[in-house]
Amino acid sequence: MEPLFGVVLGLILAVASPAHDSCTCATNKWAVCALDGPGNCTCRLAGSDHLLDCSTLTSKCFLMKAEMTPLKEKRLWRPPHGASDSDGIYNPDCEDSGVFKARQCNQSSTCWCVNTAGVRRTEKGGRSLSCSELVRTRWIYIELTHKRSSNTFDVPDVAKALTQLFESRYKLHPKYIAAIKYDPPLIQIRLDQNKKPRWDVDIADVAYYFEKDVNNDSVFHSDSSLTVSVNGDPLAIEKLWIYYVDEKPPEFCMRQLAAGISAVVTVVVLTAGIGIAVLLILRWLRTRTYKKFECKEMKEIKAPTLE
């Protein structure tokens, strides 16, 4: 009886173990997943109770929040008093749908307005700062360079390879890829998404996933490195730049520009003033020398002569 019980227990563990291992979120390695029923794997956002749809990309807002959540198995936790010299990463406030809230604030009661990509579009202010709407990021321009090699790529082949990459890996419909231009080694990609249907991924999320992949910090659970090939030849991405263009222009005030112009004007005025002062001094010195020489000649003329 005992050997039979051992065999049955082993079979149960053998079946349960693969099921447990398969309870992961393919599109988010920071998700916390658990089996809450036979074959039912539920994944939630790290540090919150938000359920995740692992068949598509996680919103950028949720990803940034997960990055700021201390998990021992994930990475070292950055101290809350640590400062950064950019707005690239912060602990965002997200709507239940995963989109950014129009106003974001940090622990020091400093607030600013963001677009749908979570990028700051106003000057920073206090808690009284009001953000009337979440302005949509309509265009995203991606510029990247690849390592030079002996292989030369044709423009149509590069465009085809990148279109397939964005469609298969990031679930982006090709209709949102407005243009791909290739001037070796520079590749330019323009994503255009005026309105986003609920069933489509957001281009801001796609750009964030792509940026993570290029920087060898993939969000996908498999943590597989990004590989792009053109007709079987590798396309090694070297550098990446991403630019966001909103439906409405940003609302930065002119203080910084005015300060820069004021500094330039001050330098020009000081330079001109010093130049004029030097010219006046030189003119005064010339006039003084001439008068001395003139007085000396007049004295020689008026001096009595001995007969």
Side-chain angles (χ1 to χ4, degrees):
M1 185 69 181
E2 290 182 358
L4 180 61
F5 176 76
V7 172
V8 173
L9 180 61
L11 291 174
I12 294 175
L13 292 175
V15 172
S17 179
H20 177 74
D21 293 339
S22 64
C23 186
T24 56
C25 187
T27 56
N28 191 337
K29 67 180 180 182
W30 298 322
V32 179
C33 302
L35 286 171
D36 56 4
N40 187 19
C41 180
T42 302
C43 297
R44 299 180 183 274
L45 180 70
S48 73
D49 293 328
H50 290 290
L51 290 173
L52 295 178
D53 180 4
C54 296
S55 64
T56 187
L57 304 185
T58 304
S59 70
K60 181 180 177 181
C61 191
F62 281 167
L63 288 178
M64 289 176 61
K65 181 170 286 294
E67 286 185 84
M68 298 295 291
T69 302
L71 291 179
K72 293 181 180 179
E73 65 275 14
K74 186 182 68 174
R75 59 179 63 186
L76 294 177
W77 170 238
R78 61 173 62 86
H81 57 271
S84 175
D85 60 354
S86 68
D87 300 318
I89 182 68
Y90 57 92
N91 192 0
D93 293 324
C94 310
E95 301 286 358
D96 292 337
S97 60
V99 301
F100 289 90
K101 290 187 177 180
R103 192 186 74 165
Q104 299 291 328
C105 301
N106 59 19
Q107 296 178 350
S108 62
S109 299
T110 300
C111 301
W112 59 93
C113 302
V114 299
N115 54 23
T116 53
V119 178
R120 184 165 62 92
R121 51 176 281 109
T122 65
E123 295 288 351
K124 293 183 177 181
R127 290 282 180 180
S128 60
L129 178 67
S130 176
C131 303
S132 58
E133 61 177 330
L134 181 67
V135 178
R136 175 155 189 81
T137 297
R138 179 177 179 179
W139 296 288
I140 293 182
Y141 291 86
I142 301 175
E143 294 185 357
L144 55 94
T145 59
H146 65 81
K147 295 180 180 179
R148 295 181 181 273
S149 64
S150 57
N151 299 323
T152 57
F153 304 111
D154 294 330
V155 176
D157 294 335
V158 172
K160 181 180 178 181
L162 290 174
T163 300
Q164 291 177 347
L165 171 71
F166 279 87
E167 184 178 7
S168 61
R169 187 173 178 88
Y170 308 113
K171 316 300 181 184
L172 182 67
H173 196 285
K175 66 182 179 181
Y176 297 124
I177 304 176
I180 297 178
K181 293 186 177 181
Y182 178 47
D183 184 15
L186 177 66
I187 301 175
Q188 296 174 302
I189 306 170
R190 193 186 79 180
L191 306 181
D192 186 349
Q193 191 179 51
N194 185 18
K195 294 182 179 179
K196 189 194 83 66
R198 182 178 56 84
W199 52 85
D200 283 338
V201 297
D202 196 299
I203 57 174
D205 302 336
V206 172
Y208 196 66
Y209 268 80
F210 183 59
E211 181 181 11
K212 288 289 186 180
D213 278 338
V214 173
N215 293 332
N216 294 320
D217 187 19
S218 178
V219 181
F220 293 100
H221 187 268
S222 62
D223 203 19
S224 59
S225 58
L226 178 66
T227 56
V228 185
S229 60
V230 180
N231 291 334
D233 295 323
L235 181 69
I237 299 175
E238 194 171 28
K239 296 180 180 180
L240 174 71
W241 301 270
I242 300 179
Y243 305 94
Y244 304 89
V245 182
D246 299 340
E247 290 179 339
K248 298 181 180 180
E251 301 174 6
F252 293 105
C253 67
M254 300 299 289
R255 286 182 297 181
Q256 294 180 350
L257 180 61
I261 295 175
S262 178
V264 172
V265 171
T266 301
V267 171
V268 172
V269 170
L270 287 176
T271 303
I274 293 173
I276 293 173
V278 170
L279 290 175
L280 291 175
I281 292 173
L282 291 176
R283 183 177 179 182
W284 177 75
L285 290 174
R286 290 176 184 174
T287 305
R288 183 180 179 186
T289 303
Y290 175 76
K291 288 183 176 180
K292 286 184 177 180
F293 180 75
E294 186 180 23
C295 291
K296 183 177 180 182
E297 285 186 342
M298 292 297 295
K299 288 181 179 179
E300 291 179 353
I301 295 172
K302 293 181 179 180
T305 55
L306 296 176
E307 294 183 355

